Amino acid sequence: MTAKTLHGFKEAELALLQNRQVGNTCTLHAITTSLRLLLGFNLDPMALSEEVDQLWWRGKLMRVFPGWAVTPKGQVRILRYIAKTRGLAVNAVFHKGIPEILPGTLSDDTVIPIITLTWLWRQAPPIFYGEDPSKLNTSNKPGGHSMILAAYDPDHAVGGTIAAPWGFINPWRNQANRLYWMQDHDFRKAWRFKVPFNGPNPLVLIYRTTF
């Protein structure tokens, strides 16, 4: 399979969309970055996180707890809430995907794919920045993380020898010039972990609509 990037952008262009997250806000970064790419609409992820927290206390549950995780189906609820309250021509759907269809989503310039990974104790999957072989995501605790799938390149390697074909827009760095990358085995294992009430391989597609 040939290499692909999200909407045909260069890696450096996609990397510039990354901003370092504060707190448990990876989902909010993924959603607001998607809105920038699809509509040119700017929304501060931290302001959105606070808004979602305030709504939780009023009974509109779009994340598990205030300041805590957002499930894939919660991502859909947040995106639809934004579309309704801001009058945006955008929607989101939840799928149980398979790795083989993911590269094809990159070519559709009306769609942004958000991937959610989950892992148990001492099983955090390594994530690499660009071609740097330093393993990031080294926590021994169970956890989860959501990112925008931004590239598939079967020839991409870190450290010159470690094949890492899956590239992501990941909110771990400001002023980045590279995407973050994962090895195929690690990506598939963390993606097929069964998220409670969401199942394995959770895929959220955010897409442009017409009124």
Side-chain angles (χ1 to χ4, degrees):
M1 186 177 294
T2 59
K4 293 185 177 182
T5 58
L6 185 64
H7 302 178
F9 286 107
K10 295 178 181 178
E11 179 178 354
E13 293 173 318
L14 294 168
L16 285 173
L17 296 167
Q18 298 170 134
N19 292 292
R20 186 174 180 83
Q21 72 182 78
V22 177
N24 201 334
T25 56
C26 57
T27 279
L28 294 313
H29 278 267
I31 289 173
T32 55
T33 299
S34 298
L35 294 173
R36 286 178 62 190
L37 279 165
L38 289 175
L39 303 174
F41 182 82
N42 292 312
L43 182 59
D44 182 348
M46 295 306 298
L48 177 60
S49 179
E50 293 176 7
E51 185 174 346
V52 170
D53 284 352
Q54 291 170 4
L55 290 165
W56 192 95
W57 293 108
R58 303 209 302 257
K60 192 172 185 64
L61 309 182
M62 295 184 286
R63 69 193 314 170
V64 179
F65 297 109
W68 209 56
V70 178
T71 67
K73 290 182 179 178
Q75 294 169 7
V76 173
R77 290 193 288 272
I78 290 172
L79 190 283
R80 291 178 177 174
Y81 163 78
I82 295 170
K84 181 178 180 180
T85 56
R86 275 76 172 180
L88 301 179
V90 67
N91 200 356
V93 290
F94 170 84
H95 295 277
K96 292 181 180 178
I98 58 173
E100 289 71 23
I101 70 167
L102 293 179
T105 65
L106 299 173
S107 301
D108 187 340
D109 65 6
T110 67
V111 171
I112 304 287
I114 296 180
I115 299 290
T116 296
L117 309 176
T118 315
W119 56 88
L120 296 175
W121 292 267
R122 295 180 296 279
Q123 295 183 22
I127 298 176
F128 304 93
Y129 176 67
E131 290 77 37
D132 187 339
S134 303
K135 293 183 179 180
L136 307 177
N137 197 38
T138 56
S139 172
N140 288 324
K141 298 178 181 179
H145 191 49
S146 295
M147 301 179 284
I148 294 173
L149 178 67
Y152 177 78
D153 183 356
D155 296 324
H156 182 269
V158 296
T161 59
I162 304 171
W166 300 100
F168 301 89
I169 294 173
N170 183 25
W172 284 358
R173 180 186 294 238
N174 294 322
Q175 299 178 330
N177 56 19
R178 294 288 186 271
L179 295 173
Y180 287 79
W181 296 82
M182 293 185 69
Q183 295 173 266
D184 186 66
H185 173 268
D186 293 328
F187 167 66
R188 290 172 183 258
K189 180 180 179 182
W191 193 36
R192 69 171 174 261
F193 187 94
K194 293 183 179 180
V195 179
F197 308 108
N198 290 259
N201 294 13
L203 171 65
V204 171
L205 296 178
I206 297 178
Y207 61 94
R208 234 179 7 247
T209 63
T210 55
F211 287 117

